[in-house]
Amino acid sequence: MVKDLNDELFSKEIFDYKDPENAPLLIKKDTIIEFWVTWCPHCQAMIPRYEKLSEEYPDIDCFRIELEQHPELAKPFGVESFPTFIFMKPDGKMEKWVGEVPEQELADMTKKAFDLK
């Protein structure tokens, strides 16, 4: 299940976005964050694909942030386009993917980012 993040939940689940340079990363397992906007057709197309991915990989935390409501949460990641996916490991390693992708490509990116088979 994909969980929507707001400012408060982001600070509890990911890190303190107000001080990203000094804030410890709080994630305990592999995590994906999608940055999106409601009016974007590419973002809309990704909703069922991302939901399906989250069901197929229950050991990965999947989050979504609506950028018009929470633009400040995109700054630490340098998000300028949408949809943008951030793949994060608990050790701090991150990868970024921008744009709409087919379902299989999203799964392949996830497997690659988290060394899954």
Side-chain angles (χ1 to χ4, degrees), residues 8-103:
E8 181 181 344
L9 287 173
F10 186 93
S11 292
K12 289 180 181 177
E13 300 268 352
I14 311 298
F15 60 80
D16 180 358
Y17 72 92
K18 293 177 183 175
D19 187 17
E21 298 295 319
N22 298 311
L25 188 60
L26 302 173
I27 65 171
K28 303 287 186 237
K29 59 184 185 176
D30 294 342
T31 300
I32 303 172
I33 304 172
E34 177 193 19
F35 292 89
W36 72 296
V37 291
T38 57
W39 50 265
C40 168
H42 303 290
C43 297
Q44 293 297 322
M46 291 305 297
I47 290 173
R49 298 171 198 170
Y50 190 35
E51 287 289 345
K52 183 175 179 184
L53 180 90
S54 73
E55 292 168 10
E56 291 175 358
Y57 295 95
D59 292 337
I60 298 174
D61 280 337
C62 294
F63 297 104
R64 178 181 293 124
I65 298 170
E66 205 287 319
L67 282 173
E68 289 190 319
Q69 293 180 20
H70 308 286
E72 66 283 353
L73 299 179
K75 292 175 186 169
F77 300 100
V79 173
E80 297 176 351
S81 301
F82 33 81
T84 294
F85 290 86
I86 304 293
F87 299 84
M88 303 172 64
K89 295 184 80 59
D91 66 5
K93 179 182 172 194
M94 287 188 242
E95 292 184 34
K96 184 188 324 187
W97 185 267
V98 178
E100 179 185 346
V101 295
E103 187 176 302

